[in-house]
């Protein structure tokens, strides 16, 4: 049999174990190759292991193949088919999977997700499905349970992470192609929550515990990434988790409340939460009827000076509003050691709403993905500004910084008020804590923050992420939060234990329908829906409150220990996270005399940063002050006080273990290129981007670690064997080849690392255009005309 014939068996879903050159593509050739191979195999009497293997998808427990089609071509570029891949397209109840034995062209690196193959797309990551027939010049956006009146020759998948994947069916059977397109449309747009894959997976695991993925139990037992001290991520599902957080922050005048145990009061609150000690359970039950969703005030965090951060829904009972509001504020005041008053911020009136954020995200996606660069390059920067995405990022950072000032400088408690208290307040409360508490800038601390302020506080992941593809309440608030954190990470890289790769993968994980973390609108929905599912599947729950789904913080489900090293920031020089050990409380301390010399604040250029002349004047209805009349003499006095605080803060070196504040000028708020451009091949910078600095710093940090280990071994007089064993350990993904490593940048590094844009829809090159200069780090504050005139 000719080598070209054997290679062509790939299109049938079969792989040949020896290399082949100059393959000839085509369905008839493929069928003939299969026949020839069978004949030759019989003639040669091959009794040993077969020379071919069938290409099949790797399935998780509970995952089934619902449809598939052979002879599919995955398009790599729009202007040539030279690099296209041939194989089988499979639709399961979890993902679409393209299976090929062809090597990926032009690709030198790809990190491996243990749950998803290189060409896989989770069904919950699919945003739109478009089928095309070239000959009839027809195209159709497929919805669930729709009919397709033409045989598709092309399938285009638009993904929520800005990917565009394109398949051709020129050689495939027309009916098979139609069926797989309809299957993808049907299974990617389920009509019920219990049809999401996580339920099938967990049901299978409960019936067959031996099928656990990577040996991990569903739910993960509350575990997560361990820090250097071996900490695990608290899920805040129990009384003890909240009690430990109270002790960690020194909130002695606050208590854990169990009045909502069994979700008896509110179905959108956690069973346990923290309230002022002076509020009795009976009062809370009485007051709850007056709040929207019966969402009583929730404590989020305590400052070492005694100021508290509290979230609260609006009071719907107009007649009782003043009385209840006064009682709540009085209780918060009594919980402050100085009996300071309460500063209330109405987020609905001073921040963009969820519809505006969704509109900005749609415009950003259109700009980054859908619009051809050659049509938009001259106006690209102004188009980016017109999306308003960066404007909204700036608004959240700015308002959070204002509230940091109130807690840090004025020593007053802050109440974040919002209609339902489960959208904008999630974002604002989280940002405030990231700025104030260095614990939340560690990996474990950041994960606990998301659990506390998003998952358990009732952020509606199901609706906001639109997992069921039928919600008119979709809004990327969680992405905006991660983007805001990335802005802070970009400005203060040594203050964060995690990297931008970690933030990007965390965003991706919200689109994988295996994890219960980002699947539900509230904890009660998980319990209710999973209990109903367990009853329907005859699963015995025992004392458990609903099924236990895999937790996203069990990163070993997705990545090897080696790949998880990419989560760690080599620039991080923070102290160990504050915690309670053996009953002893360790809280973080700030010292004005102990500043890090690693990063220094930018001198305060009044109009260039957070200190704007009009920036901090109180806006109408934005900050509702519940203070004594003499607290501020006037609005002008407040503005001067706040301006002076930020002026003084930026004039000093940054204390990486204390407060960090954002720079908000136009040059400081940037587009998160790794997240939004990683799937655009034309936008990649070979041997460039921030990863090159990450690589060099990793090598330096690894050399320092090697020296420290050598010094410790020398002092302890350990054996040579033990010495070598410890020297082999490293916390860096990129490791030095001994001391004074002078190796260059690896060939596989690009600005999209560790992601690979190859295999996604390509457009024309943008090399040499103003956009290319922007991606390469050009001065984005210059006008597009100036950039165009540069050499």
């Amino acid at each position: 049999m000719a080598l070209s014939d054997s290679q062509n068996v790939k299109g049938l879903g079969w792989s040949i174990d020896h290399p082949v050159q100059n393959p000839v593509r085509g369905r008839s050739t493929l069928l003939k190759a299969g026949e020839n191979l069978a004949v030759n195999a019989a003639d040669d009497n091959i009794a040993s292991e077969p020379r071919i293997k069938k290409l099949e998808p790797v399935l998780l427990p509970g995952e089934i193949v619902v449809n598939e089609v052979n002879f599919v071509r995955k398009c790599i570029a729009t202007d040539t088919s030279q690099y296209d891949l041939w194989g089988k397209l499979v639709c399961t109840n979890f993902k679409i999977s393209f299976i090929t034995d062809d090597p990926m062209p032009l690709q030198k690196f790809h990190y491996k997700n243990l749950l998803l193959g290189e060409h896989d797309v989770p069904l919950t990551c699919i945003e739109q499905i478009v089928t095309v027939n070239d000959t009839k010049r027809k195209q159709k956006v497929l919805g669930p349970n729709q009919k397709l009146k033409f045989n598709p020759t092309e399938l285009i998948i638009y993904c929520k992470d800005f990917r565009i994947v394109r398949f051709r069916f020129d050689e495939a059977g027309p009916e098979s192609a139609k069926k797989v397109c309809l299957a993808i449309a049907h299974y990617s747009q389920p009509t019920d929550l219990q049809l999401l894959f996580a339920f099938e997976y967990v049901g299978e695991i409960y019936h067959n515990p031996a099928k656990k993925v990577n040996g991990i139990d569903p739910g993960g037992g509350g575990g997560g990434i361990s820090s250097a001290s071996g900490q695990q991520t608290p899920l805040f599902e129990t009384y003890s988790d909240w009690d430990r957080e109270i002790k960690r922050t020194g909130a002695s005048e606050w208590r854990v409340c169990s009045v909502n145990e069994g979700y008896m009061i509110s179905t959108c609150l956690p069973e346990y939460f923290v309230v002022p000690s002076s509020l009795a359970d009976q009062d809370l039950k009485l007051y709850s009827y007056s709040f929207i969703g019966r969402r009583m005030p929730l404590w989020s965090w305590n400052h070492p000076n005694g100021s508290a951060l509290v979230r609260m829904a609006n009071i719907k009972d107009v007649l009782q509003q003043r009385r209840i509001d006064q009682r709540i504020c009085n209780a918060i005041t009594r919980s402050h050691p100085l009996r300071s008053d309460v500063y209330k911020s109405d987020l609905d009136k001073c921040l963009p709403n969820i519809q505006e954020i969704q509109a900005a995200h749609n415009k950003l996606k259109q700009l980054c993905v859908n619009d051809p660069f050659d049509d938009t390059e001259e106006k690209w920067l102004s188009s980016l500004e017109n999306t308003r995405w960066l404007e909204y990022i700036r608004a959240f950072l700015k308002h959070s910084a204002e509230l940091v000032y109130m807690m840090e400088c004025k020593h007053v408690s802050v109440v974040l008020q919002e209609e339902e208290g489960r959208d904008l307040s999630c974002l604002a409360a989280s940002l405030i804590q990231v700025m104030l508490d260095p614990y939340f800038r560690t990996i474990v601390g950041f994960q606990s923050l998301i659990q506390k302020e998003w998952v358990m506080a009732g952020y509606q992941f199901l609706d906001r992420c639109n997992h069921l593809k039928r919600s008119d309440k979709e809004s990327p608030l969680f992405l905006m939060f991660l983007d805001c954190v990335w802005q802070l990470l970009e400005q203060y890289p040594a203050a964060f234990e995690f990297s931008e790769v970690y933030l990007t993968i965390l965003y991706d994980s919200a689109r994988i329908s295996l994890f219960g973390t980002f699947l539900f609108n509230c904890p009660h929905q998980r319990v209710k829906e999973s209990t109903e599912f367990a009853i329907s599947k005859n699963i015995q729950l025992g004392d458990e409150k609903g099924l236990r789904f895999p937790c996203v913080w069990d990163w070993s489900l997705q990545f090897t220990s080696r790949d998880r090293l990419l989560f760690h920031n080599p620039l991080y020089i923070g102290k160990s996270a504050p915690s309670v050990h053996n009953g002893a409380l360790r809280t973080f301390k700030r010292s004005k005399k102990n500043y890090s010399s690693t990063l220094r604040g930018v001198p305060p250029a009044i109009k260039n940063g957070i200190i704007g002349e009009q920036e901090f004047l109180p806006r109408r209805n934005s900050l509702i002050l519940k203070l004594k009349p003499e607290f501020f003499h006037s609005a002008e006095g407040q503005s001067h006080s706040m301006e002076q605080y930020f002026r003084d803060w930026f004039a000093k070196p940054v204390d990486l273990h204390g407060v960090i504040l954002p720079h908000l000028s136009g040059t400081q708020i940037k587009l998160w290129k790794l997240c939004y451009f990683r799937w655009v091949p034309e936008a990649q910078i070979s041997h460039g981007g921030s990863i090159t600095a990450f690589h060099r710093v990793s090598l330096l940090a690894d050399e320092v670690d090697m020296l420290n280990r050598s010094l410790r071994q020398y002092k302890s007089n350990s054996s040579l064997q033990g010495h070598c064993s410890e020297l082999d350990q490293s916390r860096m993904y990129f490791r030095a080849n001994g001391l004074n490593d002078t190796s260059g940048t690896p060939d596989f590094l690009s600005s999209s690392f560790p992601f690979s844009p190859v295999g996604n829809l390509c457009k024309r090159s943008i090399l040499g255009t103003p956009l290319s200069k922007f991606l390469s780090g050009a001065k984005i504050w210059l006008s597009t005309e100036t950039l165009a005139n540069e050499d």
Side-chain angles (χ1 to χ4, degrees), residues 64-165:
I64 59 173
V65 174
V66 296
N67 218 304
E68 62 183 38
V69 58
N70 292 309
F71 311 107
V72 177
R73 178 159 54 96
K74 183 177 182 181
C75 301
I76 303 301
T78 56
D79 54 350
T80 178
S81 60
Q82 176 183 358
Y83 303 113
D84 289 354
L85 306 177
W86 287 80
K88 178 195 293 186
L89 181 62
V90 177
C91 174
T92 76
N93 57 341
F94 171 54
K95 63 180 183 284
I96 60 170
S97 183
F98 179 73
I99 310 166
T100 180
D101 199 45
D102 289 348
M104 181 68 87
L106 311 175
Q107 179 174 311
K108 300 177 181 179
F109 173 84
H110 179 78
Y111 84 104
K112 181 176 177 59
N113 188 308
L114 301 178
L115 298 176
L116 298 165
E118 186 174 8
H119 303 282
D120 293 354
V121 178
L123 294 177
T124 42
C125 189
I126 296 175
E127 183 168 36
Q128 193 174 76
I129 302 163
V130 179
T131 53
V132 180
N133 184 293
D134 294 338
T135 56
K136 295 183 178 181
R137 296 184 178 181
K138 291 183 177 180
Q139 65 177 25
K140 182 175 183 178
V141 177
L142 279 184
N145 302 319
Q146 286 188 341
K147 293 182 179 180
L148 191 57
K149 296 182 179 180
F150 59 83
N151 293 324
T153 58
E154 186 173 316
L155 172 67
I156 304 175
I157 304 291
Y158 292 87
C159 303
K160 293 182 179 180
D161 60 4
F162 289 23
R163 272 184 293 177
I164 302 178
V165 188

Side-chain angles (χ1 to χ4, degrees), residues 427-616:
L427 207 165
S430 300
L431 281 181
I432 291 168
Q433 292 171 74
V434 168
M435 293 179 192
L436 282 169
D437 192 340
Y439 170 59
F440 295 125
R441 302 196 286 267
T442 66
I443 291 177
V444 171
F446 189 71
Q447 294 174 171
S448 72
L449 178 70
I450 293 173
Q451 277 291 143
K452 178 167 62 81
E453 300 297 339
W454 294 79
V455 179
M456 299 310 295
Y459 178 72
Q460 301 171 84
F461 280 103
L462 181 66
D463 290 341
R464 298 296 180 251
C465 295
N466 202 11
H467 291 319
L468 299 183
K469 311 292 193 304
R470 54 187 175 87
S471 173
D472 57 354
K473 302 177 182 177
E474 182 178 6
S475 187
L477 275 172
F478 187 62
L479 172 61
M480 178 154 283
F481 164 64
L482 297 179
D483 200 328
C484 289
V485 174
W486 177 82
Q487 303 290 339
L488 294 171
L489 169 63
E490 184 78 359
Q491 295 177 18
Y492 305 103
F496 291 84
E497 184 184 16
F498 48 83
S499 65
E500 71 168 327
V501 172
Y502 167 81
L503 292 175
T504 308
I505 289 177
L506 179 56
Y507 167 61
D508 290 343
S509 299
R511 305 294 185 187
I512 300 178
S513 61
L514 178 66
F515 305 110
T517 311
F518 303 131
L519 210 59
F520 303 98
N521 284 336
C522 59
H524 172 263
Q525 188 182 50
R526 177 189 67 81
V527 173
K528 177 179 178 293
E529 294 286 342
S530 63
T531 300
E532 292 177 358
F533 181 82
I535 293 173
S536 68
K537 298 294 184 180
N538 296 318
I539 297 174
Q540 301 298 320
L541 292 176
D543 295 332
E544 293 184 28
K545 296 179 179 179
L547 296 174
R548 302 293 303 180
F549 293 87
C551 180
V552 75
W553 314 129
D554 291 322
W555 291 109
S556 58
L557 274 172
Q558 295 193 70
F559 303 101
T560 64
S561 56
R562 165 77 170 154
D563 283 345
R564 293 200 300 272
L565 293 176
L566 283 171
F567 294 179
H568 295 267
N569 176 12
L571 283 168
Y572 179 62
I573 58 172
K575 297 178 182 177
S576 58
S579 58
V580 179
H581 290 285
N582 300 324
L585 174 66
R586 297 195 309 170
T587 58
F588 67 92
K589 297 180 180 180
R590 302 187 184 91
S591 170
K592 293 183 178 179
K593 297 180 180 179
N594 184 25
Y595 291 109
S596 166
S597 59
T598 305
L599 294 176
R600 296 187 177 274
V602 177
I606 302 286
K607 297 181 180 179
N608 235 1
I610 197 169
I611 314 161
E613 200 168 29
Q614 301 295 328
E615 296 280 316
F616 283 92

Side-chain angles (χ1 to χ4, degrees), residues 314-345:
N314 287 345
I315 300 173
K316 61 182 179 181
D317 189 342
V318 179
L319 297 177
Q320 300 291 327
Q321 183 173 3
R322 181 182 296 272
R323 181 179 65 87
I324 294 175
D325 191 61
Q326 190 61 47
R327 290 193 178 184
I328 296 297
C329 289
N330 287 342
I332 296 174
T333 295
R334 286 195 293 271
S335 299
H336 197 294
L338 301 178
R339 300 297 187 265
S340 295
D341 293 276
V342 176
Y343 191 68
K344 189 182 290 185
S345 173

Side-chain angles (χ1 to χ4, degrees), residues 303 305-308 336 338-341 404-414 631:
H303 194 285
N305 65 26
S307 303
H336 197 294
L338 301 178
R339 300 297 187 265
S340 295
D341 293 276
V404 164
Y405 160 78
M406 297 306 301
M407 297 185 71
E408 173 82 3
C409 186
K410 292 303 179 182
H411 298 185
V412 297
S413 295
V414 169
F631 192 90

Side-chain angles (χ1 to χ4, degrees), residues 255 259 279-289:
R255 66 180 180 89
V259 70
L279 280 180
D281 285 356
Q282 200 60 35
D283 293 333
L284 291 170
K285 291 180 182 179
L286 184 62
Y287 296 158
S288 68
Y289 291 98

